[in-house]
Amino acid sequence: MAKLAGEHYMTSFYRCYGLETVSLRYFNIFGPYQDPTSPYSGVLAKFITSMLNGQEPTIFGDGEQSRDFTFIDNAVSANLLACHAPASQVAGKMCNVANGTRFTLNQTFQLLKTPTGYSGGVKYGPVPRRRCKAFSRRYHARGRVLRL
């Protein structure tokens, strides 16, 4: 709720005082040097670390939940685009920073097997409590090109 409240405050300050703000919501950012032991670390870092160590990665639930993975360079590009975008396009708005392509955790596990050289299986854990995300505006990354 704190993030959502912050977004609403930013929108209010834009509407009331003309302060040009933009909120960016990042979806599953991944890239080099991501710490797999961090509680904020994404599933890719955790899966890759487990697989490189010859350990079964854990998928919570049935693995059919999907994620939109966004490479760190695209997140940086989105920040720069937001900084340089005309205020008429972004001021007072919230934008999702995402790739626009969804992969299930089962698909992700299968895709990571070859590059990690992992030939083992996967563990399935208890189903996590569901979270709901609000969607509004999204910058789609195709390769490294982001469109406003």
Side-chain angles (χ1 to χ4, degrees), residues 68-87:
D68 188 326
F69 297 106
T70 307
F71 189 63
I72 185 66
D73 289 358
N74 289 334
V76 171
S77 293
N79 279 281
L80 294 172
L81 283 170
C83 287
H84 298 290

Side-chain angles (χ1 to χ4, degrees), residues 58-118:
T58 302
I59 292 178
F60 295 96
D62 64 4
E64 289 305 303
Q65 60 272 42
S66 62
R67 301 284 186 273
D68 188 326
F69 297 106
T70 307
F71 189 63
I72 185 66
D73 289 358
N74 289 334
V76 171
S77 293
N79 279 281
L80 294 172
L81 283 170
C83 287
H84 298 290
S88 62
Q89 289 183 10
V90 297
K93 296 185 176 149
M94 187 283 297
C95 301
N96 290 328
V97 177
N99 189 38
T101 305
R102 300 175 80 148
F103 292 92
T104 68
L105 296 183
N106 288 325
Q107 289 172 318
T108 302
F109 168 70
Q110 291 300 324
L111 288 169
L112 291 174
K113 286 178 93 169
T114 299
T116 60
Y118 182 74

Side-chain angles (χ1 to χ4, degrees), residues 14-26:
Y14 171 67
R15 289 181 182 160
C16 293
Y17 308 112
L19 180 64
E20 294 175 5
T21 64
V22 62
S23 297
L24 301 178
R25 286 187 178 174
Y26 305 100

